[in-house]
Amino acid sequence: MNQEELSLIYVWDAYCGWCYGFSKSLKVFHEKHPELSLTILPGGLFMGERKQAMGSLPYIADVNERIHQLTGAIFGEAYQDLAQEGTFVMDSEAAAKGFVALTYFAKERAYELSAAMQHAFYSEGKSLNDAATYAEIAERYGLDSEAVVEKFEDASSTKEAHEKFIQVQQLGIQSYPTLLLKKGEQLFELGGGVMTPEKIEARLMKILSA
């Protein structure tokens, strides 16, 4: 099997705390395997009836504490204040549009930008529903902030976000985070949740040696 026939697909949601916790493992694993291209697909975790104010989701605090204990992920004070206040509504469609807008101008930095989005929310307590957040991320990463905002607000980003949601559904992914290995036309689940880089690596080696 040639290396060029191998690639990674990462399914995540910017408003998923478990994805925030998994990001460090993914970063370490991805940096160890630069030969594997990485496609990132946003899911639609908080859409429809699930798109509710944080205060109506009482399990959030307990889940975040568990994520912290298992992965070491730090939830910032600004985020915790936002969650405690309770009126903020997590909108996965808006977050997916933001991801589309950022990566439109820097496709090769998709992982870096996805991590920046989660840092903005979970560390800095900033809304991923708001164009201003993407302007700040764009400036921080040397992108044209006005162009990013224009793309975020354009109908094409909504269309592309929904196309990505459909791709996730077609993959049969129902939980986030999920990291897949694409080997030719086959897909293998590599990891997710609280898996360490070492466990992901071991899973990769097992698949490749089969």
Side-chain angles (χ1 to χ4, degrees):
M1 182 61 61
N2 297 326
Q3 288 285 3
E4 58 265 24
E5 296 182 31
L6 300 173
S7 60
L8 301 171
I9 301 173
Y10 178 50
V11 183
W12 73 308
D13 191 286
Y15 282 124
C16 167
W18 288 107
C19 296
Y20 179 57
F22 182 67
S23 61
K24 184 183 294 184
S25 289
L26 177 60
K27 183 176 187 291
V28 172
F29 176 77
H30 183 42
E31 288 178 349
K32 186 175 180 179
H33 291 282
E35 76 281 2
L36 299 178
S37 65
L38 175 64
T39 297
I40 300 181
L41 295 175
L45 184 58
F46 292 102
M47 293 178 64
E49 294 180 356
R50 290 181 62 89
K51 192 171 71 173
Q52 303 175 41
M54 293 181 77
S56 65
L57 304 170
Y59 59 82
I60 286 179
D62 288 342
V63 169
N64 288 346
E65 179 58 29
R66 182 163 174 76
I67 293 169
H68 169 65
Q69 290 175 354
L70 293 173
T71 70
I74 303 297
F75 293 84
E77 187 175 336
Y79 163 79
Q80 294 188 49
D81 289 344
L82 189 71
Q84 188 170 7
E85 194 276 331
T87 60
F88 180 75
V89 176
M90 294 181 289
D91 181 350
S92 292
E93 180 187 65
K97 285 172 57 182
F99 177 71
V100 166
L102 288 168
T103 56
Y104 180 81
F105 298 98
K107 184 178 180 181
E108 73 287 354
R109 300 169 73 186
Y111 170 74
E112 191 178 0
L113 293 167
S114 69
M117 287 174 61
Q118 291 212 294
H119 177 79
F121 180 60
Y122 284 108
S123 182
E124 301 173 343
K126 293 179 179 176
S127 170
L128 299 179
N129 309 341
D130 190 343
T133 299
Y134 300 104
E136 290 181 15
I137 293 173
E139 289 177 3
R140 191 176 301 168
Y141 287 86
L143 304 178
D144 184 331
S145 60
E146 290 185 8
V148 167
V149 168
E150 184 178 347
K151 179 66 176 175
F152 173 73
E153 295 175 342
D154 190 86
S156 64
S157 289
T158 303
K159 181 176 181 291
E160 190 171 339
H162 281 270
E163 288 172 351
K164 293 184 184 298
F165 294 155
I166 291 170
Q167 284 181 264
V168 171
Q169 292 171 1
Q170 291 173 338
L171 288 171
I173 303 301
Q174 297 181 335
S175 63
Y176 319 118
T178 296
L179 179 64
L180 301 171
L181 175 72
K182 190 171 189 294
K183 182 181 179 185
E185 295 303 314
Q186 295 178 290
L187 290 173
F188 301 88
E189 187 168 336
L190 273 185
V194 298
M195 284 185 72
T196 63
E198 292 76 18
K199 288 184 178 179
I200 301 171
E201 182 73 21
R203 176 67 175 151
L204 174 66
M205 293 300 104
K206 183 177 180 180
I207 293 169
L208 295 183
S209 63

